[in-house]
Amino acid sequence: MKNIRNFCIIAHIDHGKSTLADRLLEFTQTVAEREMQHQLLDNMDLERERGITIKSHAIQMNYRYKGEDYVLNLIDTPGHVDFSYEVSRSIAACEGALLIVDSSQGIEAQTISNLYLAIGNDLEIIPVLNKIDLPHAMPEEVSDQIIELIGCDVDDIIHASGKSGIGIEEILNAICDRISAPKGDPAAPLQALIFDSVFNSYRGIEVYFRIFNGTLKKGEKVKFINTGKTYEADEIGVLKLNQEERKEMGAGNVGYLISGIKNAKEVKVGDTITHVEKPGQSIQGFEDVKPMVFAGIYPVETSEYEELRSSMEKLQLNDASLVWEPETSAALGFGFRCGFLGMLHMEIVQERLEREFDMTVITTVPSVQFHAYTTKSDMIKVNAPSEMPEPNYIDHIEEPFIKAQIITKSEFVGPIITLCMDKRGILKNQTYLTSDRVEMTFEMPLAEIVFDFFDKLKTISRGYASLDYELIGFRTSNMVKLDVMLNSEKVDALSAIVHRDKAYDWGKRLCEKLRELLPRQMFEIAIQAAIGQKIIARETVKAMRKNVLAKCYGGDISRKRKLLEKQKKGKKRMRQVGNVEIPQEAFLAVLKLD
Ligand code: GDP
Ligand code: MG
């Protein structure tokens, strides 16, 4: 145990975590160079394409240093706020962390939020100034930021480049020298923390764990404390490039467990594995992750409802954080109301449904969960606008609030404060990290972030702002339901819950946007926005004069075919509501109001 080192890598997205991890694996010959695929740890196609790590993984390296053999377990952490609970559990499984900062960018919001998690778990921090090969690297300036942030010496900071391989050996040596060996008693009752799981359709779910106390042997009866379920440890082992089976594993170790579990719901990150006989205590910090964003998912073809259901069931087997239940919409028919960890998670689910299950779906306006307190003083959890009680039954409504942390250059402070105030935010704190770098803390409604906040923040700061947030609770807000009618017919899937002060402006802009997005048809379309019975905005889509083919009547046949094909393509993501055809973009129009 004295030569085991468990560590993770903390970095803001794009600061070079995956590239550096690849170099560590190469240097320790965990993978031969010819086996090396770029960014080995990100092994889901979608992750690679987007260059983000969605699920965290672990890999073990062997390293010889000062005449001793070390076992280094790298526990990878996902980099996006949607998955912050998973990040916190990965960090809890380690004794140390590499803090990677891009020397051409400096400290960003996720650097800091993950650093705080690491410090909160008493991890030893090894600061790494990465990408020093870049001509526009600013090593002195960024070193100053790091020193100010963690209070280290300038000599503690390792200069590195994952691209050209600078500093890799120094990092490995520092891991052995500076990070402490795991503590724990192999003879105590078993306590192993689940920090991740991966779905394997042949072997069932692979559970990744870190043993804090006790010893786990193959074949033993184990219990997951928080779900209360028991299993047999069919196979245990360590994670190299491939899995290597072991007969037993003791305190301090990181590994995998296979026990024939088929449903991801049974494996909760943060849960504790113990023995059925002589059980240990649950490890602190377990939380049931709750969805933060809700949206309807509907098949484009109503006949594909059952197929969509079975796809969702399969998807859920390997995505325990996805929740859903059947929902009916007057406009869209049968579909599902789904709960996601955040907007990225929602996009990933939609994309996986399309790629892995070949479904074409329509996603409706995402919404947060509101708490509606009725005049009878009971509370209704509102996950969709249609679930909102009638205004005269509502006593008051509460909405989720977050603490948002934004880091930016000082020149963007003004515009960002304006943006956040426009999003009903309150500035709580403002600190200069260096003369040019500012950290701001706001309290604001989650609903405002769900809409178009990220994009706006990026635009006004020209990309020099990063954001991280956490939920801080529910607060009373004056919310109203805004309905949309097309030719006097209410389209429930276009409804949204918005703040009363903004409702008029929203209604107007939403109608304008819909006018742009709805294709012209043979008749006029009236677009109206209403609060209750009161119409607050109106736009019209004029009727088409001629049909598309009329223009090339008698003309070039191939052009005609092209036009028809174009129309067919356009139809792919359309839904007929009453007599109006609505494209997918229209259902998400509220996200793009500007
Ligand atoms: P991650 O999001 O933190 O995992 O970052 P990646 O490892 O995916 O790297 C993000 C981008 O930075 C990629 O385009 C890499 O090729 C590039 N990159 C990573 N490390 C270095 C480095 O040391 N030097 C330079 N010049 N580019 C790097
Ligand atoms: Mg990465």
Side-chain angles (χ1 to χ4, degrees), residues 412-425 440 442 460:
F412 302 116
V413 165
I416 289 175
I417 291 179
T418 309
L419 170 68
C420 290
M421 283 170 60
D422 181 49
K423 300 288 183 189
R424 299 189 281 134
M440 288 180 280
F442 293 88
I460 62 169

Side-chain angles (χ1 to χ4, degrees), residues 368-371 373 398-401 471-476:
V368 300
Q369 183 177 75
F370 293 94
H371 289 172
Y373 289 84
E398 287 182 358
E399 67 173 331
F401 265 68
L471 195 66
I472 52 174
F474 281 76
R475 294 182 184 171
T476 303

Side-chain angles (χ1 to χ4, degrees), residues 11-20 38-39 42 51-53 102 130-134 160-164:
H12 191 73
I13 204 147
D14 278 347
H15 282 201
K17 183 173 81 169
S18 304
T19 309
L20 198 87
H38 183 51
Q39 300 195 351
D42 303 343
I52 49 166
T53 309
D102 183 333
N130 196 27
K131 305 199 190 180
I132 53 154
D133 61 293
L134 286 174
S161 162
K163 194 155 206 164
S164 46

Side-chain angles (χ1 to χ4, degrees), residues 30-190:
T30 308
V31 290
E33 226 161 296
R34 70 191 144 74
E35 289 172 316
M36 195 75 207
Q37 272 174 303
H38 183 51
Q39 300 195 351
L40 207 74
L41 286 179
D42 303 343
N43 60 8
M44 221 159 99
D45 278 355
L46 207 62
E47 291 182 22
R48 257 185 214 206
E49 268 170 44
R50 298 186 166 220
I52 49 166
T53 309
I54 297 165
K55 293 289 287 177
S56 45
H57 305 284
I59 195 158
Q60 187 176 91
M61 297 171 254
N62 295 311
Y63 185 59
R64 205 168 164 79
Y65 176 58
K66 288 188 180 162
E68 299 213 30
D69 288 317
Y70 285 85
V71 169
L72 313 181
N73 290 310
L74 164 57
I75 294 171
D76 198 19
T77 54
H80 193 275
V81 282
D82 282 8
F83 305 96
S84 60
Y85 180 67
E86 295 190 15
V87 179
S88 83
R89 294 305 84 195
S90 308
I91 286 175
C94 301
E95 275 78 30
L98 301 179
L99 175 76
I100 296 189
V101 184
D102 183 333
S103 56
S104 69
Q105 301 287 326
I107 284 161
E108 302 279 2
Q110 264 132 58
T111 325
I112 295 195
S113 57
N114 289 348
L115 175 69
Y116 287 164
L117 283 175
I119 292 173
N121 281 282
D122 285 330
L123 265 52
E124 177 67 32
I125 310 293
I126 300 175
V128 176
L129 194 61
N130 196 27
K131 305 199 190 180
I132 53 154
D133 61 293
L134 286 174
H136 54 285
M138 313 173 286
E140 286 83 30
E141 197 182 325
V142 179
S143 289
D144 283 348
Q145 291 177 11
I146 295 174
I147 292 167
E148 212 158 309
L149 185 67
I150 61 175
C152 63
D153 270 352
V154 69
D155 300 330
D156 295 337
I157 303 173
I158 301 174
H159 289 222
S161 162
K163 194 155 206 164
S164 46
I166 301 168
I168 303 303
E169 188 172 3
E170 204 183 331
I171 291 173
L172 289 163
N173 296 349
I175 291 169
C176 300
D177 273 336
R178 297 196 219 165
I179 298 177
S180 52
K183 298 181 188 72
D185 177 3
L190 179 65

Side-chain angles (χ1 to χ4, degrees), residues 161-439:
S161 162
K163 194 155 206 164
S164 46
I166 301 168
I168 303 303
E169 188 172 3
E170 204 183 331
I171 291 173
L172 289 163
N173 296 349
I175 291 169
C176 300
D177 273 336
R178 297 196 219 165
I179 298 177
S180 52
K183 298 181 188 72
D185 177 3
L190 179 65
Q191 283 181 299
L193 173 72
I194 299 178
F195 62 85
D196 196 11
S197 67
V198 165
F199 180 80
N200 181 320
S201 45
Y202 302 106
R203 315 224 292 162
I205 293 184
E206 296 164 4
V207 177
Y208 296 170
F209 61 80
R210 148 77 199 263
I211 305 182
F212 280 89
N213 279 302
T215 300
L216 175 61
K217 297 188 181 124
K218 181 185 160 97
E220 284 179 326
K221 280 216 157 60
V222 292
K223 178 174 158 185
F224 291 5
I225 296 179
N226 289 285
T227 61
K229 300 222 171 195
T230 59
Y231 309 94
E232 220 157 272
D234 297 334
E235 183 181 325
I236 58 170
V238 298
L239 299 146
K240 298 280 185 79
L241 184 55
N242 298 306
Q243 295 166 340
E244 276 181 23
E245 265 194 82
R246 294 281 187 271
K247 288 260 177 317
E248 74 171 67
M249 296 174 71
N253 280 285
V254 172
Y256 72 93
L257 160 77
I258 292 173
S259 49
I261 305 170
K262 294 288 180 213
N263 189 339
K265 291 237 127 140
E266 293 177 30
V267 182
K268 299 196 167 173
V269 167
D271 203 347
T272 304
I273 307 172
T274 194
H275 285 127
V276 172
E277 299 204 359
K278 286 205 222 138
Q281 299 268 309
S282 172
I283 294 164
Q284 276 187 1
F286 176 77
E287 272 174 41
D288 240 331
V289 279
K290 286 183 202 71
M292 304 268 265
V293 173
F294 298 83
I297 291 189
Y298 290 83
V300 166
E301 297 296 332
T302 46
S303 59
E304 284 178 359
Y305 173 76
E306 283 304 327
E307 217 179 315
L308 179 59
R309 172 196 288 277
S310 96
S311 305
M312 302 271 296
E313 276 166 1
K314 284 191 197 125
L315 194 58
Q316 201 177 30
L317 289 179
N318 67 59
D319 183 352
S321 44
L322 169 67
V323 298
W324 53 273
E325 57 183 37
E327 173 184 70
T328 346
S329 151
L332 296 174
F334 293 109
F336 304 96
R337 173 87 350 202
C338 305
F340 310 96
L341 297 176
M343 294 297 282
L344 177 71
H345 187 213
M346 175 175 126
E347 275 178 48
I348 290 167
V349 168
Q350 183 176 357
E351 217 162 304
R352 291 187 67 186
L353 280 172
E354 309 211 326
R355 284 189 199 202
E356 293 168 34
F357 299 98
D358 205 20
M359 301 297 310
T360 314
V361 296
I362 287 205
T363 315
T364 64
V365 186
S367 171
V368 300
Q369 183 177 75
F370 293 94
H371 289 172
Y373 289 84
T374 67
T375 45
K376 286 186 229 143
S377 76
D378 49 352
M379 191 267 274
I380 298 170
K381 290 182 177 168
V382 178
N383 291 338
S386 61
E387 294 167 7
M388 190 59 91
E390 287 303 314
N392 33 346
Y393 294 112
I394 298 174
D395 183 70
H396 68 281
I397 295 171
E398 287 182 358
E399 67 173 331
F401 265 68
I402 56 165
K403 189 170 101 190
Q405 182 189 40
I406 297 173
I407 293 181
T408 190
K409 287 187 171 183
S410 39
E411 59 186 291
F412 302 116
V413 165
I416 289 175
I417 291 179
T418 309
L419 170 68
C420 290
M421 283 170 60
D422 181 49
K423 300 288 183 189
R424 299 189 281 134
I426 303 160
L427 180 64
K428 296 305 261 191
N429 196 14
Q430 185 174 341
T431 324
Y432 279 78
L433 300 171
T434 58
S435 59
D436 188 36
R437 219 159 169 75
V438 188
E439 180 189 352

